Amino acid sequence: MKLKYLGHSALLAEAGGTGILIDPFLTGNPRAGAGAGELTPDYIVLTHGHADHIGDTVEIADRTGCTVVSTPEICTWLEERGAKTLMMNIGGPRSFGNFSLRFTPAWHSNSLPDGTYGGMPMGVVIEAAGKRIYHAGDTALFSDMQLIGSGPRLDVAFLPIGGNFTMDPAQAVDAVKLLKPRVVVPIHYGTFPPIEQDAAAFARAVTSETDSGCEVLEPGQSLQI
Ligand code: NI
Ligand code: MN
């Protein structure tokens, strides 16, 4: 699986020729790792409807005809705007052929840019090519992360460290202790002043306090697993 970090919480996961784009906030992100117009995913997965996550979804879905996977509330809102969607919710996995996907809880809020209620905010676990990744979405630290990390070891966990709206670096280190992934990648920091953080210091804390590795990816950089 190839994991390309696109800045903020945006991630493009490619497995077996299938492109899965998570939270594509690119236009308006001063540190975006790609232009929205360059992307041709098969699926867009949205953890919640905040503007810094839904981002360019309507434009990309319209241009590519890809399927958007999210809460029923977000899917209904997007269908009214012409997108093709597939409704899921927090629960067990659904198979998409060469990958499977399940949504996890996240402690946050969830509305669409016009104020419409978006359902529960979520994280997502994707399994493909024998690998297992977790994208936490926007969330506070919560002890049920231990359940998300149980079973086959997570290969990569993408965790927000920006603070203010989500976990900060110290809380994200505690999350790593619950999730026990092979590798953690910090996200949702450095985009705007309220979420400036020192990712190198976070990486040092992960390495010294946990059994996980840490990869700090610049927007546009990829990780092959
Ligand atoms: Ni949010
Ligand atoms: Mn956010």
Side-chain angles (χ1 to χ4, degrees):
M1 201 173 353
K2 182 183 174 193
L3 304 167
K4 186 173 186 182
Y5 179 52
L6 300 177
H8 203 57
S9 288
L11 176 73
L12 178 63
E14 291 177 299
T18 300
I20 308 159
L21 180 60
I22 303 175
D23 289 359
F25 167 56
L26 303 159
T27 302
N29 176 358
R31 302 192 64 229
E38 311 167 30
L39 302 173
T40 54
D42 299 284
Y43 296 91
I44 295 174
V45 174
L46 297 177
T47 62
H48 64 297
H50 289 159
D52 61 319
H53 296 259
I54 199 166
D56 297 290
T57 296
V58 171
E59 184 278 315
I60 297 170
D62 180 55
R63 177 171 48 80
T64 66
C66 71
T67 299
V68 185
V69 186
S70 195
T71 64
E73 293 83 356
I74 289 174
C75 288
T76 299
W77 191 89
L78 286 169
E79 280 170 13
E80 288 166 1
R81 287 152 183 82
K84 187 166 72 185
T85 70
L86 197 153
M87 297 177 183
M88 288 180 67
N89 215 319
I90 296 166
R94 178 180 182 125
S95 174
F96 290 78
N98 58 357
F99 73 96
S100 74
L101 180 160
R102 70 182 169 95
F103 286 110
T104 68
W107 277 97
H108 193 61
S109 59
N110 187 12
S111 55
L112 280 306
D114 65 359
T116 302
Y117 172 63
M120 294 287 282
M122 309 184 293
V124 61
V125 174
I126 295 173
E127 293 195 42
K131 303 290 182 183
R132 199 158 173 257
I133 68 165
Y134 168 53
H135 182 298
D138 279 0
T139 188
L141 177 65
F142 57 99
S143 59
D144 280 357
M145 284 179 173
Q146 198 172 338
L147 295 174
I148 298 168
S150 66
R153 192 172 186 187
L154 292 168
D155 290 285
V156 187
F158 292 86
L159 302 181
I161 67 161
N164 195 74
F165 305 106
T166 68
M167 297 188 286
D168 69 1
Q171 293 167 332
V173 170
D174 285 341
V176 173
K177 292 173 184 170
L178 297 171
L179 292 160
K180 300 181 176 15
R182 289 183 211 285
V183 173
V184 55
V185 176
I187 61 172
H188 209 274
Y189 70 95
T191 317
F192 307 114
I195 57 171
E196 282 299 337
Q197 296 291 349
D198 183 344
F202 171 72
R204 286 192 297 275
V206 168
T207 307
S208 65
E209 294 179 38
T210 79
D211 295 325
S212 301
C214 184
E215 293 273 357
V216 176
L217 299 179
E218 290 299 317
Q221 281 188 325
S222 297
L223 189 63
Q224 187 78 43
I225 60 167

